[in-house]
Every structure is written in C-alpha cells, then in structure tokens.
C-alpha cells in the first residue's frame, strides 16, 4: 500500500481502535491486526511516531497504567477533538472509498 | 487543528526534554517487556523471546529517533543541535576555520569595496536630471592639439548659430577667482558661464535664482552664484546674501543665488559661477571655454557628433588659421570620470581574480576537510544517522562559515570604503558619492554561500557513494583509491590559484616598476623637491593696472622673501613643474620657411625672473642666464629648452638665432636666443612634451606668478615666508603654499592609488596561494605518514624525504607559474595605458614575480616537509 495513503489509514485505524477502548501500544497493534483480519501488521517504527504525533495534535492523551499481567504500560485514549477527528476522517474515508470503488468499476 | 495542545507539546519538547525522553524510553521498554511476556507465554524460552521481541521492535534507538523526528519543534531543535555541533567542530579546527573566514573576508571585502567605488564613480546616476543627455563639446585644432581643447567666443557663436542637435548650447570657462572683502582674501575655483548653463544642468538653486536668458549679453551687470559650501563658509549661510555685492578679481558682482552641494560642475571644486559676457569677438581667440549642452529628444550623441563635425569643417574653411579642426562631443559622465575609468576597470578585474582565488581556496580547504571526515561520516551513517540529517549538518557548518566570512567581509568593505574615501588621492572624481553598495555585497555573500554549500556538501556526497564497510575497515586512515578524484580536483585548484596569483603579481609588479620610474622623474630640476617652496600670487586689485606696477609689487615681494632667515634663493615664474603650465603658445623662428597657414606646435612658454634656474637648479647647457640688465629698454632675449633646441635647430647653433611668440602674423618682436637649459616637465610627469621657451619678466609680464624659494628648512619655513610675502600687500591673494615635494606627490597620487591597491590585491592572492599549497602538501604528508615511515624504516634519509615532499610542492608551483605567465602575457597588455617607462611584458618584472612566487611555494611546502622528516618509523607503522 502506498505510504502516504497508509499514514492516513493508520491514523484512522488508531482513532477507531481507541474509540472503542483505551489501550496501550501493543494492545493497539494487536487490535488493528484483529479488526483488519491481519491485513495491517503495524510495526512499532510506524506505531509510536503516529501515536506521539496524534497526541501532540491533541487527538489522544496518554497515561501510565497497569497492563493485563501487572506491568506498567502507557495507555492512550481519545480526547474530544480526537472524536471529532475520527468523525471527519471516517466521512472522508467513506467518500474516497465510494469514489474509488465506482471509479474502478466504471471500466 | 487545536493549537493549545501543540503549544504545550512544544514547550515540553523544548524545555522538559529529559522527562519526555525518559517517558519515551519507559514506554518502549514496557512495550518490549509486554511483547516478551507474550512470546514466553506462547512457549518460547525467555532468551529466545527477548531476541524475537527486539527483532520485531526493529531497534530501540531507531524507533526513538523516528518518534523524535515527528515531535513538534524537532526541526528547531535539530537546527540548534546542528549549530552547536557546527560551532564545536569549527572551533576544534581553528586553523581551517580561520583561513576560510579570512579568505572569504578578504575576497568579499575587497570586491565589495572596489565594486562600490567603481559603481559610485562609473555608474551611479549623476546628481543632474537626465544626465545621460548632457554632453560636453570641445574644440581640437592644430597648432593647439589638445584632445579636450577649448574654443573661443567666436567659435561658440558659430556653433550655436548652426546647432540643431542640442537644446541651447552653453559654454563655461574654469578659472581661479580671488574673493576680497568680507574676511581674508581667498582664492576659489570659479567658472564663467553663459546664461543657459544652469538650465542645461537642470538643477534648481538652493536659494535665489540662476542666470536668466540674456544675462550673458555684453554689458549685462555682473552677477554671481555661490556654492553651498562657499555660502556656509564665507557668508554663514545667511539668506540675506542674495542681492549683496562681492568683489571678484577686483570687480564687484551681485550675488543672485546659491547652488546645492550636489551641484559640482564643471569641477568638483567649483564654488563660484559668474556670468560670461559674450563680447562680440574681433578675432579668433583667446581659447578659453568648453561647451556643455543637452541633446534634444530623439537625437543620439553620434548624430550630434556628426553635426559638430560639419560645423567644425565650416569654421575651418572660414578661418585658415585653424588646421585639423574638430569639435569632439563627450558624454558628461565620461567627461567627469575621465582618466580613472581604465585604472578602475583594471582594479575591478584584479579584485575579481582575488575573489576567484579566495573561492578556490575555500573550495580546496573544504574538499581537504571532507576527505578527512569521510571516516566520521561513515561511522555516523552506520550508527543510524539519516543521510538527510548528515547533509543538513554539513550544510549548517558551511552556512556558518559562509556567514562568518560574509560578516567579516562586510566589516572589511566598510572599513575599506572609509579608508578609500579619506585617502582619496585628490583626483578621483565623484568619490563623495561612493558608499557601500548593497547589491555588490549581496552578490559577494551569495558567491560565498554558494561556494560554501557546493564544496561543503562534498563529504556528504562522498559519504553516500562510499562503501561503508570499506571506509570503516580503513579505520579512517583514508588512503583510498576513491579519493583520487578529489585529490586531482584539489591539485587543479591549487595550480589555478598559483596561476591566478602570478597574473596579479605580474600586474602589480609592472605598476610598481612604473611608479618607481614616475617618481624618479624629477621634473627636470636638481634642487631637492622638499627644499623648494612655492606660493601662488594673484594680485587682483585694480590698482595694479600696468606692467610697472606689477613689477614693483613682485620686486617688493622678492626683496621681503629674501630677508626671511633660511632662504637660499628666491625667484619668480608663471609656470612650474610638474603640471602648472600657465600658457602654451606656438612660436616662429626668424627665417623659417613655413607652408602658408602652417605653424610650429604649441610649447610651454614661461615668464621668469633671472634667478629661476639657479633656485630650481635647472642646468645651463649653453649661453647664459637672464640678468637684471635684460630690461624693457634692452634687446629682447629668450632662453630655450634643450628639447626645443634639438628639434628646431638640429645640428645648428641656436645661440644668436631669433624667435618670436605665436604665429608669423603676431606683431611681437623677435627675441634673441641667449641660452639653452635642461628640459623641465611642465605638462605632466608622464608627458614627453618638454619643449619650452623662457622670457625674462623684465621684458614681459604676467599678472599671476609663483614665488619660488629654495630653503633647506623646507615646509617649516612656509608660515614665515607667507607672512613676509603678504606684507608686500595685504590685499593680494596667496595660494597653494607648498613644497615641490607635495606637488610632485600629488601628481603621482592616482598612479600610486592604482599601484597600492593592485599590490595589496596581489599580496592577498599570494597569501591565499601559499595557504593553498601549504594545505595540499600538509594534507598529502599526513596521508602518506605510513608510506614515509616505511621509507625511513628502509633507510631513506631525512634529506631524501624532505626532497621528495618539496619536489611535490615545487612541481605544482612550476605548473601554476607557467600557466600564470602565459595568462599574464595576455592580460598585462590591458595595463599598457597605465604604465610609464616599462613595457607591459617587462621580462625583469615577470622573472622576479615568478621567482618570488616559487620561493613562497617552496617555503609553504618546506614546513610540512620538515614535519615529514620528523616522522618516527615506529609510530608511523603503528598507525595501522
């Protein structure tokens, strides 16, 4: 998949994942793999820069918490602007996917 | 996008960095542990799980680096980091940094200065509206033969009557004017001008008015326009000055206006303009004026020249007195700039070479540094530095260097311009308009930055091409085949530096030799120039109305001057070397057969008192000097110069022959040649026109004379002498009280200006070239440490090592010198107009310059060569 497309997609997937549940890094990457049926294997090298970038943009906030097996882990949750962003990006994505689908079918 | 969280992130990233970093570190460690836990749970051993987790993470540092790069303020932070690193790395190499900054500062500074000066003089708009349409019109004719000669009023009236090309033609006549009354008698530079003069220049007066049409008709009342400077100095800038009357040359004139300071025409020093009454001429002459006029719209200067050529032909047809008459037209700018255009262009060319050498030097140093840093670059790449990040780092360093060089260059040029302005060699026109030119500075800075960037990037380019493995394996020793291109480029750069410096040095050498010759020209008198004091006397008062009154005044002055203690000899002359010729006139030899209308050329004629030759120590070659018996009543006598004797009495005895002033039609009596004296330069040190004839002031008279005094006290006697001479009549204007030394040094001021500047440029070039050679040899020695160690271990003596290294430097220098010599042969021809007494391909100069450069090159390679001989084989071999 093209990288720039990937970045937008990754943002959207992270927002979507966190909309359901507050998660730590590993949890997010597992969750994404799960909901995309393994299509997206998010590597830490992409995941962490994306998380930090979105946090700096004010869409996410982070806090230290306990993981399932009692380890300290950093959790991320959606902020109010983050929810708004999710809505915007979802709409955008749907518009694009419809447009792309019809474009590809039209031949 | 919300701004607030971004700002708070920026604050945290910049000011709370350790916490942010620690947080990231912990987050990643936690992630790694979670991942390991998962893998252990799925049945792997802890060690295996840990390794798999690390692999999956893909390197903790790399992930951290990627997170850091997206952080807000990352750009700013990394720039700061680059700057810090750049400063450190430049400071660590203080020698390299210093030389680069110095090279840039000299190159940029010298160029900005020269370009600012040249722009101010050659190109900056003149302070006269639409000055491109203003032209000067001269008259050239035989026997006068001056390129920018003067016309008489009759010629002007003819030109004006037949003119179509110009709007209202005007004429002006520059002369010294005596101001008496309202304070000390003072002589100022003035100009007689016709009514249209100021409207041609289109500059409104600061105060009052300028001449009205008709104010140049005969019988019009005398009026005067002051310069702003004169108005402030003598009339304390009072507006009430308009309508006042002042005494100019003993006659009264009404002040009608004041011109602003920017108006400096016809001379930069002109301070007073009076109306020139066009008295209907009865004959051709005196030739006193040059024309100035504004081209009509749509008329080119070439068309105007064609028209004045035709007018000149017509004037010549009607006046058989003239031969080869033309009316040359010259643009105002060219007329003002005059003789300095060529020297300025030569200096611009020279300074351009300096810039080229400086840039080449910087390039060379940058490349040398790049090679030594290949190891560092490879190491940083392999440790995970991004290539773009490295490029940015190198760019930062180069920019730092360029900016430092630029700032230093700005200081150099600022100081340089101040220096040139205050040192103004007197005859550099328009120097008062010269200021630091922003565009020149900008261009030079750009050159510096581009050079810095271009060659500063070399290590990055090399680093990207280089095979990391092999570079690292070399252990940073850097003796690789991969650098041979860089080495070849650097060798070529050094060779071209040497060649360019040789060209500059050859030019400077020629100018120095020429100046030497010029300064050796004494003007033709044997008295030491510092022992000769001269005073210009200008008795303007009406009470001196005949020759006898003048003679009484001058006798009185001579007598009073003679009484001053320390005075050894006193004399009068109306003409002095090196270039104060009051008059030039043709002459007629009794019995000479001339074709009708033909005349002898104009030569200097001087009116002197009997002691003039003795005071100046001008040798008597034949016959006798004038004596007090050569009076009005006795037979007219004349003394001629050696050169006149040789040209006009070749192989004959001139003594006893008779000549008279002016052409055959002149009514003056024939004078008997009683003596022949040595040649004296009256029309300039560089001129060959030494022919002159002298007449005793007992039989002729000049209103304005110089009192010439010989005294071993020199300039120290000036105040006493001035007082003594002034005592003869407090109303007489005294001027230019100075020693012949001062006069002579002023005469060579402009050549000295060119020479000093060109020599300074050549010196800078030589220094830069020496640094270049030193750099490449020192570098090569460092590279060959191992090889030299092996040689010495195998028995090579210090001498042979020394010889080997120096030979390398010498061969570079020789190639450069040969190239430079051929370039110099081609280029110094451009100098030929500036040279005096030396050919533009003077073999002595060329040889001296080449040897000098070779010596410097050898010295520059000797220092690293000696270092090479000190290499201990043991240390060198351990360097493996």
């Amino acid at each position: 998949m093209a990288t720039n497309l990937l970045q937008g997609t990754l943002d959207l997937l992270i927002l979507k994942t966190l909309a359901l549940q507050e998660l730590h890094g590993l949890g997010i990457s597992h969750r994404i793999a799960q909901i995309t049926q393994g299509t997206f294997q998010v590597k830490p090298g992409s995941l962490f820069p994306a998380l930090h970038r979105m946090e700096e943009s004010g869409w996410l906030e982070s806090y230290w918490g306990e993981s399932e097996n009692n380890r300290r882990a950093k959790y991320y949750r959606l902020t109010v602007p983050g929810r708004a962003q999710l809505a915007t990006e979802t709409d955008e994505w749907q518009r694009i996917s419809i447009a792309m689908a019809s474009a590809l079918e039209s031949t | 996008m919300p701004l607030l969280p971004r700002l708070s992130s920026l604050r945290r990233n910049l000011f709370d960095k350790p916490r942010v970093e620690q947080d990231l570190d912990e987050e990643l460690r936690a992630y790694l542990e979670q991942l390991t836990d998962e893998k252990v749970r799925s049945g792997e051993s802890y060690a295996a799980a840990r390794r798999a987790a690390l692999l999956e993470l893909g390197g903790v540092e790399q992930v951290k680096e990627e997170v850091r790069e997206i952080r807000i303020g990352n750009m700013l932070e990394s720039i700061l980091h680059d700057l810090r690193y750049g400063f450190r790395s430049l400071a660590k190499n203080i020698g390299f940094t210093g030389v680069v900054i110095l090279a840039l500062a000299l190159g940029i500074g010298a160029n900005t200065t020269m370009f600012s000066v040249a722009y101010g003089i050659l190109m900056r708009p003149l302070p006269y509206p639409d000055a491109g349409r203003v032209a000067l019109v001269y008259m050239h004719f035989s026997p006068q033969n001056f390129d920018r000669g003067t016309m008489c009023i009759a010629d002007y009236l003819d030109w004006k009557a037949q003119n179509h090309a110009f709007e209202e033609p005007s004429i002006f006549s520059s002369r010294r004017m005596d101001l008496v009354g309202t304070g000390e008698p003072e002589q100022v530079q003035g100009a007689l001008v016709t009514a249209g003069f100021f409207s041609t220049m289109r500059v409104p007066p600061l105060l009052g008015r300028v001449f009205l049409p008709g104010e140049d008709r005969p019988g019009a009342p005398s009026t005067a326009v002051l310069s702003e400077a004169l108005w402030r100095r003598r009339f304390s800038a009072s507006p009430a000055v308009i309508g006042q009357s002042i005494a100019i040359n003993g006659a009264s004139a009404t002040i009608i206006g004041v011109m602003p300071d920017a108006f400096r025409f016809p001379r930069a020093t002109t301070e007073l303009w009076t109306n020139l009454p066009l008295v209907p001429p009865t004959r051709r002459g005196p030739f006193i004026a040059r024309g100035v006029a504004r081209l009509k719209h749509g008329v080119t200067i070439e068309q105007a020249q064609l028209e004045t050529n035709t007018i000149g032909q017509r004037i010549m047809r009607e006046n058989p007195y003239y031969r080869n008459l033309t009316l040359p037209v010259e643009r105002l700018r060219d007329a003002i700039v005059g003789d300095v255009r060529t020297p300025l262009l030569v200096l611009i060319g020279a300074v351009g070479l300096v810039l080229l050498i400086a840039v080449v030097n910087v390039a060379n140093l940058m490349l040398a540094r790049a090679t030594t840093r290949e190891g560092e670059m490879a190491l940083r790449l392999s440790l995970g530095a991004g290539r773009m990040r490295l490029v940015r780092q190198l760019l930062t360093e180069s920019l730092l260097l360029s900016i430092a060089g630029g700032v230093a260059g700005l200081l150099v040029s600022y100081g340089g311009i101040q220096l040139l302005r205050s040192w103004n060699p007197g005859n550099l026109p328009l120097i008062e308009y010269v200021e630091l030119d922003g565009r020149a500075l900008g261009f030079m800075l750009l050159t510096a930055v581009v050079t810095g960037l271009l060659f500063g990037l070399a290590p990055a380019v090399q680093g990207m091409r280089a095979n990391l493995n092999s570079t690292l394996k070399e252990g940073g020793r850097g003796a690789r085949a991969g650098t041979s291109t860089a080495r070849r480029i650097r060798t070529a750069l050094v060779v071209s530096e040497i060649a360019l410096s040789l060209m500059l040095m050859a030019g400077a050498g020629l100018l120095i030799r020429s100046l030497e010759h010029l300064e050796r020209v004494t003007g033709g008198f044997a008295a030491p120039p510092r022992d000769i004091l001269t005073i210009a006397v200008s008795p303007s008062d009406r009470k001196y109305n005949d020759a006898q009154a003048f003679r009484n005044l001058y006798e009185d002055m001579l007598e009073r001057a003679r009484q001053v203690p320390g005075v050894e000899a006193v004399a009068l002359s109306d003409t002095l070397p090196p270039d104060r010729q009051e008059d030039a006139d043709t002459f007629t030899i009794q019995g000479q057969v001339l074709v009708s209308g033909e005349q002898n050329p104009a030569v200097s004629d001087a009116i002197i008192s009997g002691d003039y030759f003795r005071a100046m120590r001008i040798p008597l070659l034949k016959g006798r000097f004038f004596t007090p018996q050569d009076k009005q009543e006795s037979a007219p006598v004349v003394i001629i110069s050696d050169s006149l004797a040789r040209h006009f009495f070749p192989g004959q005895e001139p003594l006893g022959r008779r000549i008279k002033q002016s052409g055959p039609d002149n009514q003056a009596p024939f004078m008997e040649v009683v003596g022949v004296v040595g040649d004296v330069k009256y029309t300039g040190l560089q001129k060959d026109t030494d022919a002159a004839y002298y007449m005793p002031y007992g039989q002729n008279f000049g209103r304005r004379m110089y009192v010439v005094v010989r005294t071993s006290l020199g300039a120290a006697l000036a105040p006493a002498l001035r007082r003594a001479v002034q005592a003869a009549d407090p109303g007489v204007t005294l001027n230019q009280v100075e020693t012949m030394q001062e006069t002579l040094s002023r005469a060579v001021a402009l050549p000295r200006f060119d020479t000093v500047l060109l020599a300074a440029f050549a010196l800078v070039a030589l220094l830069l070239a020496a640094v270049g050679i030193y750099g490449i040899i020192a570098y090569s020695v460092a590279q060959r440490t191992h090889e030299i160690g092996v040689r010495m271990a195998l028995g090579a003596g210090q001498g042979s090592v020394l010889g080997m290294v120096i030979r390398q430097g010498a061969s570079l220098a020789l190639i450069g010198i040969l190239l430079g010599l051929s370039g110099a042969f081609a280029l110094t021809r451009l100098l030929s107009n500036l040279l005096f007494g030396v050919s533009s391909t003077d073999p002595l100069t060329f040889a001296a310059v080449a040897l000098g450069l070779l010596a410097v090159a050898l010295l520059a390679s000797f220092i690293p060569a000696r270092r090479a001989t000190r290499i201990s084989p043991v240390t060198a071999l351990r360097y493996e």
Side-chain angles (χ1 to χ4, degrees), chain B residues 178-354:
Chain B
D178 297 320
L179 279 181
V180 188
T182 61
E184 288 262 304
E186 186 186 7
Q187 195 174 68
V188 299
Q189 182 62 50
L192 288 168
V193 304
T194 53
F197 177 82
F198 285 107
S199 57
T200 295
M201 303 307 289
R202 287 201 187 150
V203 177
L206 189 68
L207 197 68
R209 63 170 180 90
V210 291
F211 302 119
L212 297 175
E215 275 191 297
D216 52 10
R217 63 173 194 278
S222 288
T223 48
V225 174
L226 311 179
S227 76
E228 187 176 342
L230 181 64
W231 176 54
R232 294 190 183 283
R233 186 172 72 237
R234 234 180 138 83
F235 301 93
S236 24
S238 153
V241 77
I242 305 297
Q244 266 185 36
S245 142
I246 50 168
I248 300 172
N249 291 346
S252 122
T254 311
I255 299 173
I256 56 165
V258 176
M259 289 308 285
D261 198 38
F263 189 87
R264 298 185 176 201
F265 185 76
R267 297 195 187 173
T269 51
T270 305
E271 295 198 299
L272 186 60
W273 296 266
T274 58
N275 52 340
L276 170 71
L278 294 171
V279 179
T282 53
R283 61 180 182 108
R284 295 279 157 172
F287 302 95
I288 53 161
R290 296 181 173 88
V292 59
R294 185 172 282 272
L295 288 166
K296 283 183 184 161
H297 273 285
V299 179
T300 65
I301 196 144
E302 291 78 17
Q303 290 166 336
Q305 179 70 71
L306 281 177
E307 189 187 77
T308 59
N309 284 347
T310 320
I311 297 173
Q313 296 282 338
R314 236 173 267 152
I315 295 178
M316 193 162 48
R317 259 201 312 277
E318 290 158 18
N319 301 278
Y321 169 73
Y322 295 129
R323 296 164 49 80
N324 307 323
L325 186 143
T326 53
L327 297 172
V329 178
E330 189 180 31
R331 283 183 201 283
L332 179 62
R333 157 91 60 187
D334 298 334
I336 292 178
V337 170
D339 299 336
V340 305
R341 180 185 297 272
T342 314
L344 276 181
L345 291 180
V346 164
L347 287 175
I348 286 284
V351 87
L353 287 184
V354 171

Side-chain angles (χ1 to χ4, degrees), chain A residues 30 69 71-72 74 76, chain B residues 23 26-27 37-38 41:
Chain A
H30 285 331
N69 30 15
R71 286 204 181 265
R72 234 165 79 85
K74 198 169 191 186
Y76 289 88
Chain B
D23 209 50
E26 282 173 17
E27 183 177 10
D37 283 353
E38 268 184 19
R41 272 203 303 277

Side-chain angles (χ1 to χ4, degrees), chain B residues 767-787:
Chain B
L767 268 177
L768 291 176
V771 167
I773 297 174
Y774 169 80
I776 199 165
I777 301 294
Y779 174 72
S780 143
V781 166
Q783 295 260 294
R784 292 167 70 186
T785 305
H786 179 66
E787 178 207 323

Side-chain angles (χ1 to χ4, degrees), chain A residues 24-26 29-30 42-49 51-53 55-59 62 64 67-69 71-74 76 81, chain B residues 1-2 5-7 9-10 12-13 22-24 26-28 30-31 33-35 37-38 41 56-58 63 66-67 70-72:
Chain A
H24 50 67
L26 187 62
S29 77
H30 285 331
V42 188
K43 292 262 164 56
S46 322
L47 179 68
F48 285 104
L51 285 174
H52 283 254
R53 177 166 40 76
E55 188 184 3
E56 291 194 339
S57 300
W59 301 335
S62 63
W64 286 97
S67 75
E68 312 80 50
N69 30 15
R71 286 204 181 265
R72 234 165 79 85
K74 198 169 191 186
Y76 289 88
Chain B
M1 209 175 271
R6 298 188 140 246
L7 283 181
S9 306
L10 180 63
R12 250 185 341 164
N13 289 343
Q22 199 193 343
D23 209 50
L24 177 63
E26 282 173 17
E27 183 177 10
L28 288 181
Y31 179 91
E33 278 161 8
Q34 280 177 291
L35 201 58
D37 283 353
E38 268 184 19
R41 272 203 303 277
E56 207 178 309
L57 189 64
V63 174
E66 282 181 62
V67 172
I70 60 94
R71 274 188 198 146
I72 289 173

